[in-house]
Amino acid sequence: MIGIVFGLRLGRWGVVGFSLAGLLLVFAQTAGFYQVAGTTPGARAAFGSAMATLAAQLVALFPPPLRPDTAGGYAEFRGFHPLAVLFAVWALASATGFARGDEERGVVEAALATGTSRIALIASRTVGFALAVTVASAAAAAGFLIGVASGHETAAVQGVVEEAALLAVIGVACYTLSLFVAQMAGPRLPPAPPSAPERCRRATAAGSERSRGGHLNLRPTSGRHR
């Protein structure tokens, strides 16, 4: 439990930032749907057809949207799908930061010195990130509900919960995969040896120091002559 709280404290700004990003992104796309899609069924059908044509050009990044002529389908295509990519980047940065950055700063060694095993430490940090990405996914779902309310419509709560859960699962899966790869990766390469000109310069400097040190430090002496 202490490890989970410690992991959340280290990543608190990430939780705040990505939660706000999810809330604002999904809200903006949902509220924008009511501004550009029209109000009549014919206008929304034409808008959905245009979105399907646009989605066909982005199929390498996002799956084809389902019912882009509705607020839910449009928000899923323009809000939740890009947010999944953003959460994947967040997971990658958090996992590599824990596996590499915390080791360099001595955080991992300090935690292991308290008697915590490495497996327990990894599990606690994974659970901590799972809680963080769940909070951010819930914020994105709240942004969708607020956007739908601004258009004087209602949304199926079950579908919103499923969409938020899918976001959280994607984030946790990317985190565990990135953490596994970071743990399996070998140690970082040592610094490259100096080049031949650099070795020559160092040898010359060392020779100069030795030659200066070999001279006797003679000081003139003065005495009275009778």
Side-chain angles (χ1 to χ4, degrees), residues 136-149:
S137 301
F144 174 73
L145 294 176
I146 296 173
V148 170

Side-chain angles (χ1 to χ4, degrees), residues 14-15 18-19 22-23 83 87 90 131-141 167:
V15 177
F18 283 97
S19 296
L23 175 68
L83 199 59
F87 281 8
W90 178 24
L131 293 176
V133 76
T134 300
V135 171
S137 301
L167 267 181

Side-chain angles (χ1 to χ4, degrees), residues 90-172:
W90 178 24
L92 175 63
S94 298
T96 54
F98 164 59
R100 294 300 181 189
D102 286 359
E103 286 187 359
E104 293 180 354
R105 292 191 297 267
V107 177
V108 175
E109 287 76 7
L112 296 178
T114 61
T116 305
S117 64
R118 182 173 291 272
I119 295 178
L121 179 61
I122 293 175
S124 63
R125 295 297 288 270
T126 303
V127 172
F129 182 81
L131 293 176
V133 76
T134 300
V135 171
S137 301
F144 174 73
L145 294 176
I146 296 173
V148 170
S150 68
H152 306 288
E153 292 185 356
T154 58
V157 178
Q158 180 180 357
V160 178
V161 172
E162 291 176 353
E163 194 69 35
L166 181 60
L167 267 181
V169 169
I170 291 174
V172 174

Side-chain angles (χ1 to χ4, degrees), residues 3 26 42 46-47 49 55 62 64-65 76 92-93 96 112 121 149 171 177 203 217-218:
V26 177
F47 178 77
S49 177
F62 309 117
E76 182 181 26
L92 175 63
T96 54
L112 296 178
L121 179 61
L177 180 60
N217 188 13
L218 299 179

